[in-house]
Amino acid sequence: MPAILAIESSCDETSASVCVDGAILSNVIANQTIHEAYGGVVPELASRVHQQNIVPAVQQALFNAKVSKNDIDAVAFTRGPGLLGSLLVGVSFAKAFALARQIPLIEVNHMQAHILAHFIAEKKPSFPFICLTVSGGHTQIVLVKDYFDMEVIGQTLDDAAGEAMDKTSKILGLPYPGGPLIDKNARSGNPDAYKFPEPQIPGFDFSFSGLKTSILYFIRDNVAANPNFIRENMNDICASVERRIATILINKLKKAADEYGIKDVALAGGVSANTGLRNLLTETGEKNGWNVFIPKFEYCTDNAAMIAIAGYHKYLKGEFIGQDVAPLARMPF
């Protein structure tokens, strides 16, 4: 029954988790509010706050799991991709902890971990399955053949879906982070109020740069005609933008599922917390006879529990790494 301590510090959440024999016993996430004043994550500030949060987060994770540091058999950590300064804090702590305890180190790919978060729950997808991974920096369709045998069959050619939501929130004057606020406003809006274009990209790839531009021009032209347009129509704008982003994602996902003949379909990443996207995937799954897998909200955004479950499966395979490991801002899938 291996006990694994997991560390996640790829962006602006400092998270620690304890996994024992594949069961998540704790998942502590320390969020950073300092970036709200800047309208986005400031890398240097993020790394400094990680330094402040890492020890308390680990202590709390061990306490919540009722596990001593002496009981830990291995340390799993996010090696990349992510902000280099942020990753450095987590990697350095993991190396120091493992060296002091003379236990193995396990490197984890952050994007693979988002997908493997589905193996935390009792209801698990069967291999092979297709996963739509959507976050602020990534939009991918991944064919998952085994725990660590994954193939990216579609990805964004420019901006990610999360970036499109963040840019929209800035255009609308919403504070950072804007994604949850778009979600909240959209619940009271009409998703069919305004029509935005769907990019015609071949295959399973995505593009959101054109959509961002069309939203910008749409808001500019309507505000010119009515200075109160945004305030008077906020809910409908948010609902319409959310619906278009969700349909772009789900239409590509359906195309991939049909071509590969796969019925187990999963959603992962920070944007998987979006209510409109979750609902549309559920509806599409019911129409097409899919087995749909959507993570709990706590496992959507960056968290160490997903690192822990990935580390657990690597531990079973004996896939460890040495103390000379360094973080990678870009990490091959």
Side-chain angles (χ1 to χ4, degrees):
M1 298 178 62
I4 296 171
L5 171 67
I7 307 294
E8 156 61 24
S9 68
S10 63
C11 190
D12 61 336
E13 282 99 3
T14 312
S15 185
S17 174
V18 174
C19 169
V20 176
D21 199 29
I24 301 299
L25 302 188
S26 64
N27 185 37
V28 175
I29 302 174
N31 294 304
Q32 300 184 7
T33 59
I34 193 171
H35 307 286
E36 294 175 4
Y38 302 94
V41 177
V42 181
E44 177 61 26
L45 294 179
S47 59
R48 292 182 184 182
V49 179
H50 279 305
Q51 289 178 309
Q52 298 169 3
N53 289 343
I54 187 73
V55 172
V58 170
Q59 288 178 326
Q60 192 65 50
L62 292 170
F63 178 82
N64 291 355
K66 297 181 174 58
V67 169
S68 163
K69 64 179 182 293
N70 296 323
D71 298 323
I72 300 298
D73 297 303
V75 184
F77 63 94
T78 301
R79 185 181 183 186
L83 301 175
L84 196 57
S86 294
L87 290 166
L88 187 60
V89 176
V91 173
S92 297
F93 183 92
K95 289 168 66 174
F97 191 102
L99 183 63
R101 292 279 303 114
Q102 290 295 296
I103 55 178
L105 276 169
I106 304 171
E107 67 169 4
V108 174
N109 182 302
H110 178 85
M111 297 309 297
Q112 289 185 344
H114 270 303
I115 295 171
L116 294 177
H118 288 287
F119 292 90
I120 296 174
E122 290 185 10
K123 181 187 175 185
K124 302 175 176 62
S126 300
F127 299 117
F129 66 94
I130 287 179
C131 186
L132 171 65
T133 308
V134 198
S135 67
H138 298 83
T139 302
Q140 299 173 331
I141 297 179
V142 182
L143 176 62
V144 187
K145 305 169 188 176
D146 204 340
Y147 291 108
F148 301 101
D149 184 4
M150 305 181 190
E151 179 186 355
V152 178
I153 58 175
Q155 58 189 330
T156 182
L157 303 177
D158 40 55
D159 302 316
E163 289 176 302
M165 285 197 177
D166 289 340
K167 179 62 71 175
T168 299
S169 70
K170 285 187 177 182
I171 295 170
L172 296 176
L174 297 173
Y176 175 86
L181 295 176
I182 288 181
D183 192 342
K184 181 180 178 181
N185 289 320
R187 305 285 66 77
S188 302
N190 175 11
D192 297 317
Y194 307 108
K195 300 297 182 182
F196 296 103
E198 179 172 1
Q200 301 303 306
I201 308 299
F204 308 131
D205 290 332
F206 302 92
S207 171
F208 290 96
S209 60
L211 177 63
K212 289 197 313 182
T213 301
S214 69
I215 294 170
L216 175 64
Y217 290 164
F218 169 81
I219 298 297
R220 182 198 65 184
D221 294 344
N222 280 278
V223 168
N226 175 13
N228 296 319
F229 176 76
I230 293 177
R231 180 174 57 82
E232 294 172 355
N233 301 278
M234 177 68 81
N235 293 342
D236 286 347
I237 297 170
C238 289
S240 299
V241 170
E242 180 187 84
R243 172 59 64 89
R244 172 48 74 207
I245 292 174
T247 55
I248 291 171
L249 294 169
I250 298 303
N251 287 345
K252 287 287 187 176
L253 181 62
K254 182 182 183 304
K255 183 177 182 180
D258 288 345
E259 182 157 326
Y260 282 88
I262 289 177
K263 293 295 185 180
D264 279 21
V265 178
L267 182 64
V271 182
S272 66
N274 178 268
T275 307
L277 179 58
R278 295 166 80 95
N279 290 343
L280 185 58
L281 176 58
T282 301
E283 294 169 9
T284 306
E286 290 174 352
K287 291 178 182 177
N288 292 275
W290 294 347
N291 301 312
V292 173
F293 300 86
I294 302 175
K296 291 182 178 180
F297 285 108
E298 63 185 299
Y299 302 136
C300 291
T301 55
D302 296 346
N303 66 91
M306 66 184 194
I307 306 302
I309 200 69
Y312 168 71
H313 286 285
K314 281 200 166 187
Y315 183 95
L316 296 180
K317 297 174 68 176
E319 294 187 5
F320 307 127
I321 197 160
Q323 282 283 335
D324 57 344
V325 64
L328 296 173
R330 295 175 180 266
M331 188 173 181
F333 202 87

